[in-house]
Amino acid sequence: MAGKLPGRVEQVARDTLAGLPARDTDLFLARLRRWWPDLAEGLAGPYGGRYDLDELLVELTGLLAARYAERPEELKLLDLERSVRPDWLQDPSMLGYVAYADRFGGTITGVGEHLGYLADLGVRYLHLMPLLEPRPGDSDGGYAVRDYRAVDPRLGSMGELEELAAHLRARGMSLCIDLVLNHTAAEHDWAMAAKAGDQAAQAMYLTYPDRAEPDAYERTLPEVFPDFAPGNFTWVPEMERWVWTTFNRFQWDLNWANPRVFREFADVLLHLANRGVEILRLDAVAFMWKRLGTNCQNQPEVHDLLQALRACARIVAPAIGFKAEAIVSPSELVFYLGVGRHHGRVSDLAYHNSLMVQFWSALATRDTRMATRVLGRFPTKPATAAWATYIRCHDDIGWAIMDEDAAAVGWNGWSHRRFLAGFYAGLHPGSFAKGAIFQDNPVTGDQRSSGTLASLAGLEQALELGDERLVDMAVRRILLGHALIFGWDGLPLLYMGDELGLRNDGGFADDPDHAGDNRWLHRPAMDWAAAERRHERGTAEQRIFDGIKALAQARTRTPHLHAATPAEVVDLGQPRLLAFVRRHPLGPLLAVHNLTETHQPTGSGALDLVGPDPQPVDRITGQKVPVGWEGLWLEPYQTVWLTAP
Ligand code: GLC
């Protein structure tokens, strides 16, 4: 039996679990022993030397045991199932769907009425956008939480969420919700108490009596929302102090250097897990730890904290998965899946922002050289984790392209980023896109992009022009994007409405709480009439929906796509194609994507990567492909997944 627990820890666990059958207690203690090093080492980073760690660990053990004692039997069974299938999130049959509960089904219960629709697509994981009780008025799409233990009353109740989780589970779908770790709403109980002068509550946040420290930090801090929330600190007159606010003025950054913050969030996390939530999307985690003289992102303590939270989950509720939302550079990103001493000990999933950015960049330029370079050098993730791959989401697209990567293909980084923002806002002659510029920063010249997948990919413009050929091209671009994220070593996430080609919601500005934030352009309400058109042959809805569904089915049938097998980008020497190999024990799979609206040959050498058979099979269509002296010719925007027959 590995590891021994400190005597007091074991005693606290046994005392708390006294009423449970001996087997349950044994199981808890086995897990506590197994994950003890992760917990103790994780806490030592941020709290060691400043707090009594032994005391903290004893206190936490009591908390973990109490939450374990409450865990419903059905979920304990799920814990066991997941222990024998630890790679459940990496399986090629996994497909995620991301939706706003209100915009998809009206309410939490309403969402439950559309599970047949999701099952039809092949969805196995449903992320409902922030649904915990937000502050009133503008809440940054729910990312300003007032009460982590209550559901937004406009959407329903915690009981209804529990019911939905159970319905999903019965259909083999997992519920994912957001847990905002970096900040609370300025209306959260702690913030209210802080404003009323409560010192302990003030210590939950980062507050300052004057500008000295804020100014010192500002020297190296970037701005997330320079347009509508400039700066990183907000003056709170009731408290007569500045408070750290990375995002909006009403989102107060938490002080994770205070172990009480850790304790409270461990408790909330397990409380949600016990309601049947299976995946937690850990929002804005990069910002959790601050260090003077840095950009206050990706500090080592963030990974320690996430490791310790992960250990809490593994001890009490091992069925659940962690998805890190850290939109950071590739070299920093891979730490969220665990590097070095954190290897395999942090999140199961992390958003692959670069894949999304490189896709849109290559689509605009019809040039894959930079994508091949950047994705080819991408750090390898641990084999036990998966990328969360996506082509669009609820956020803007930040053109995260490094100057040196642009320079390597002969472009100026700044100009290229500006070009992309302009292209996707439809400002360039010849652009197929109809989006908008988000957060135009006059100081840095930085611009980001808003717009739905369909509008950015050309469908909106094509339908307006009534040009069938352009509609066809837009549909192909949409399917190409999905093929790319379905073939990568990850778990693909569909963003609500993209499966039907929903266009921009131009009416977003009518809502005063949304008017200032054009990310609402790409957060339209679900159009159920459009969903019905998926049954009418030849409509854009039908072609996109069926195309995505066919890709999902092909993916499920293709074991090579298990996320433990890395996607290795290969340079075919053909700057219009993006290719990668998945070297699986069953043999290699070569994925090739044509990023242009013209036919493109792979070249003959490419096929050698698949093996000696002269006629490989495309796993998407299930058909053998014709190979000539120039290799295989790809149709406009076509993807193939080639393997030996
Ligand atoms: C994440 C969310 C984004 C939100 C921010 C602050 O980046 O995706 O929508 O504005 O966190 O919570």
Side-chain angles (χ1 to χ4, degrees):
M1 200 171 293
K4 220 173 126 49
L5 296 169
R8 263 178 75 214
V9 164
E10 179 153 348
Q11 199 50 52
V12 167
R14 287 193 183 280
D15 291 350
T16 316
L17 299 176
L20 255 54
R23 277 178 55 131
D24 280 8
T25 305
D26 290 344
L27 187 56
F28 178 82
L29 287 171
R31 288 193 196 132
L32 190 61
R33 272 184 222 107
R34 168 66 183 86
W35 303 114
W36 187 256
D38 288 39
L39 182 63
E41 289 165 27
L43 293 176
Y47 306 124
R50 296 191 299 127
Y51 292 94
D52 184 340
L53 265 191
D54 293 338
E55 227 15 79
L56 185 59
L57 283 162
V58 168
E59 193 198 337
L60 269 174
T61 303
L63 172 77
L64 300 184
R67 292 294 86 82
Y68 175 73
E70 287 165 10
R71 186 144 173 91
E73 283 306 316
E74 194 193 334
L75 296 177
K76 285 188 176 165
L77 195 59
L78 188 68
D79 291 334
L80 285 181
E81 273 175 37
R82 294 274 155 82
S83 314
V84 295
R85 200 185 290 284
D87 63 342
W88 63 291
L89 289 168
Q90 300 185 298
D91 195 85
S93 68
M94 281 308 281
L95 175 63
Y97 190 86
V98 184
Y100 287 90
D102 57 340
R103 294 178 169 238
F104 182 70
T107 59
I108 303 273
T109 307
V111 169
E113 286 157 21
H114 294 291
L115 301 191
Y117 174 79
L118 297 179
D120 187 19
L121 255 180
V123 170
R124 301 219 27 227
Y125 157 127
L126 176 62
H127 170 203
L128 290 179
M129 295 294 292
L131 48 70
L132 299 178
E133 191 185 325
R135 75 191 288 269
D138 181 3
S139 64
D140 186 22
Y143 285 106
V145 179
R146 178 160 75 179
D147 185 351
Y148 287 84
R149 290 166 196 273
V151 165
D152 182 342
R154 291 168 298 189
L155 299 175
S157 65
M158 195 49 95
E160 284 161 352
L161 186 69
E162 253 181 290
E163 262 172 47
L164 177 66
H167 287 151
L168 286 165
R169 199 156 44 249
R171 283 181 170 265
M173 298 182 194
S174 299
L175 176 65
C176 168
I177 71 166
D178 284 86
L179 184 62
V180 186
L181 292 177
N182 179 65
H183 45 263
T184 73
E187 290 74 13
H188 188 284
D189 277 353
W190 303 333
M192 297 304 278
K195 282 185 235 182
D198 179 333
Q199 300 287 309
Q202 282 184 11
M204 301 296 272
Y205 299 98
L206 295 155
T207 73
Y208 308 91
D210 53 46
R211 283 298 304 183
E213 278 188 84
D215 284 344
Y217 279 108
E218 282 288 13
R219 267 175 226 128
T220 51
L221 281 178
E223 286 175 310
V224 177
F225 296 140
D227 254 16
F228 48 66
N232 287 280
F233 299 87
T234 300
W235 175 250
V236 182
E238 299 94 317
M239 202 161 69
E240 296 201 325
R241 291 178 80 85
W242 292 91
V243 64
W244 197 308
T245 52
T246 299
F247 293 87
N248 289 288
R249 301 168 63 87
F250 52 76
Q251 288 162 302
W252 287 23
D253 285 41
L254 286 154
N255 175 19
W256 279 87
N258 175 354
R260 207 187 129 202
V261 172
F262 183 89
R263 214 204 83 99
E264 294 286 347
F265 274 91
D267 198 6
V268 160
L269 190 156
L270 298 172
H271 175 79
L272 295 171
N274 282 352
R275 308 277 83 72
V277 171
E278 294 185 29
I279 297 133
L280 288 159
R281 175 189 181 277
L282 308 175
D283 180 71
V285 283
F287 302 88
M288 283 165 70
W289 195 269
K290 327 291 186 192
R291 176 165 280 115
L292 193 65
T294 71
N295 64 356
C296 296
Q297 292 181 42
N298 315 310
Q299 297 301 309
E301 288 82 354
V302 170
H303 308 300
D304 290 334
L305 289 166
L306 294 181
Q307 173 179 310
L309 283 173
R310 186 80 182 101
C312 294
R314 280 176 156 160
I315 292 163
V316 178
I320 71 165
F322 272 20
K323 177 171 58 169
E325 192 255 347
I327 308 304
V328 300
S329 71
S331 56
E332 296 290 357
L333 177 61
V334 64
F335 282 87
Y336 292 86
L337 295 178
V339 169
R341 65 190 164 91
H342 298 110
H343 189 273
R345 299 166 114 186
V346 281
S347 294
D348 307 277
L349 301 164
Y351 286 92
H352 199 317
N353 184 57
S354 278
L355 183 62
M356 188 267 296
V357 167
Q358 293 299 331
F359 166 73
W360 290 108
S361 168
L363 204 61
T365 55
R366 282 82 167 170
D367 186 327
T368 57
R369 288 173 304 149
M370 188 172 61
T372 297
R373 173 189 157 91
V374 170
L375 298 170
R377 292 163 172 236
F378 215 80
T380 330
K381 63 165 183 57
T384 50
W387 296 112
T389 61
Y390 62 113
I391 216 68
R392 265 322 267 124
C393 70
H394 71 290
D395 277 326
D396 53 290
I397 306 176
W399 298 110
I401 290 169
M402 312 248 283
D403 288 343
E404 67 237 47
D405 290 322
V409 296
W411 299 337
N412 172 284
W414 189 86
S415 315
H416 181 59
R417 292 188 292 270
R418 292 282 287 201
F419 159 73
L420 290 171
F423 183 92
Y424 285 107
L427 301 177
H428 284 274
S431 168
F432 47 73
K434 279 200 117 173
I437 287 176
F438 178 71
Q439 303 291 320
D440 193 351
N441 187 334
V443 180
T444 58
D446 186 33
Q447 298 179 324
R448 288 134 69 180
S449 299
S450 285
T452 67
L453 167 60
S455 294
L456 297 182
L459 189 63
E460 183 167 335
Q461 194 191 83
L463 288 171
E464 275 169 17
L465 295 172
D467 184 326
E468 257 315 305
R469 199 191 66 87
L470 295 184
V471 170
D472 180 51
M473 285 302 154
V475 169
R476 285 169 183 258
R477 284 185 202 108
I478 291 170
L479 294 178
L480 169 73
H482 284 98
L484 178 66
I485 61 166
F486 280 39
W488 209 256
D489 47 344
L491 189 168
L493 305 176
L494 302 176
Y495 182 58
M496 185 188 91
D498 285 352
E499 75 281 10
L500 299 168
L502 287 199
R503 269 89 71 204
N504 288 341
D505 176 7
F508 80 90
D510 299 342
D511 182 336
D513 289 337
H514 299 164
D517 183 346
N518 73 18
R519 287 178 297 172
W520 290 95
L521 194 61
H522 52 259
R523 298 169 181 174
M526 185 62 169
D527 182 343
W528 290 107
E532 280 312 302
R533 286 198 292 278
R534 77 188 190 278
H535 301 300
E536 280 170 48
R537 272 217 79 68
T539 58
E541 288 84 357
Q542 179 265 322
R543 293 180 57 199
I544 298 170
F545 190 94
D546 285 350
I548 292 176
K549 190 170 154 177
L551 279 169
Q553 288 168 352
R555 184 175 137 83
T556 302
R557 289 192 304 266
T558 309
H560 310 66
L561 299 179
H562 188 288
T565 306
E568 298 168 43
V569 173
V570 288
D571 188 348
L572 301 180
Q574 218 288 30
R576 310 279 171 234
L577 303 179
L578 179 64
F580 57 83
V581 188
R582 309 287 303 269
R583 292 181 215 276
H584 190 270
L586 290 175
L589 176 147
L590 173 68
V592 191
H593 312 79
N594 177 1
L595 273 290
T596 74
E597 51 267 87
T598 53
H599 288 75
Q600 298 290 339
T602 59
S604 58
L607 281 304
D608 295 347
L609 291 162
V610 189
D613 201 291
Q615 261 215 319
V617 169
D618 174 12
R619 291 278 180 153
I620 295 178
T621 59
Q623 306 291 315
K624 289 196 169 189
V625 295
V627 177
W629 64 275
E630 282 174 307
L632 168 69
W633 279 88
L634 266 69
E635 288 183 17
Y637 299 120
Q638 191 187 357
T639 301
V640 287
W641 292 342
L642 303 176
T643 65

